[in-house]
Amino acid sequence: LVRLAAPMSFGVLYVAPLLPDFFRAHPGISIDLHLSDAQADLIGGGFDAAIRIAALPDSSLMARRLCDMPIHLVAAPSYLKAHGRPRHPLQLAEHAGLGYSYQLTPDTWRFHNRNGESASVRPSGPLRVNNGEAMLPSLIAGMGIGVLPQFILRDALARKELEIVLPDWSLPVSAVYWLTPPGGPRPKRVETLADFFADRLARKPGSKGPA
């Protein structure tokens, strides 16, 4: 048995669909999958591993990078038409910012550009959620501007329901990590599952995958 924690939306969309192939290849391994956007306490919760989306992994844990995960600032065309398009991050203080509770710095959006400039803004708006997909309806309806990972935004961007705002400015680089508790060698079953996800998720960027 491998006890695995993963973010809710990413787990439903990308982890769970891969499991049948894993079970067919490794019939002797079973998985107890715990889905929550809250960061699981690996040691206290008795987990063998966790999949986590972060700018930087928890330094107290063993981390393996699985794939990149771009983060974007987005808004609906209707919102931008009604409220104007910000040209600089500091102008976001004048806009309705929809918040995500488990963002690395949920009360502050931090940006930088290619010229080495940086800017921070504290978003304020009508909604704060603890699940990224729960923000989508309000974003698409034009209720504000929000920050979400690309795997959640991909379809809405493709349908032009949302568009990237401030494309010349970047948010902290994020990635999908495989985390395990500190200590000695990992059990073979845990390493086998880690290798499987590393292989499958690495195939995704640029196609239909999470990055």
Side-chain angles (χ1 to χ4, degrees), residues 5 12 20 37 41 52 55 70 84 88 98-99 102 108-109 132 146 184 199 206:
V12 170
D37 284 343
D41 178 356
R52 190 172 295 169
H88 190 280
L98 308 187
Y102 295 127
T108 306
W109 293 344
D199 174 67

Side-chain angles (χ1 to χ4, degrees), residues 56-198:
L56 291 172
D58 187 333
S59 61
S60 68
L61 303 173
M62 302 293 291
R64 176 178 179 179
R65 192 184 185 102
L66 298 179
C67 65
D68 291 337
M69 179 55 66
I71 305 293
H72 299 300
L73 178 74
V74 298
S78 61
Y79 177 87
L80 298 174
K81 183 177 180 179
H83 301 279
R85 182 182 297 273
R87 302 296 178 184
H88 190 280
L90 296 181
Q91 294 177 334
L92 293 171
E94 305 165 7
H95 288 266
L98 308 187
Y100 174 54
S101 303
Y102 295 127
Q103 191 178 335
L104 185 63
T105 54
D107 296 321
T108 306
W109 293 344
R110 305 184 190 279
F111 298 85
H112 68 274
N113 64 17
R114 294 179 181 177
N115 297 325
E117 298 175 271
S118 61
S120 299
V121 63
R122 296 176 66 87
S124 176
L127 177 67
R128 183 164 172 163
V129 299
N130 66 356
N131 175 268
E133 282 190 296
M135 190 191 297
L136 276 180
S138 292
L139 280 173
I140 293 171
M143 296 295 103
I145 296 178
V147 173
L148 286 175
Q150 184 168 307
F151 82 90
I152 292 178
L153 296 171
R154 190 186 63 235
D155 291 342
L157 290 171
R159 293 191 296 262
K160 301 188 184 305
E161 296 170 328
L162 296 172
E163 57 185 272
I164 295 174
V165 181
L166 297 175
D168 294 331
W169 290 81
S170 301
L171 291 147
V173 176
S174 188
V176 181
Y177 290 94
W178 177 271
L179 302 179
T180 52
R186 304 273 77 79
K188 180 63 176 178
R189 62 186 183 278
V190 176
E191 291 301 316
T192 298
L193 186 58
D195 291 343
F196 173 83
F197 281 119

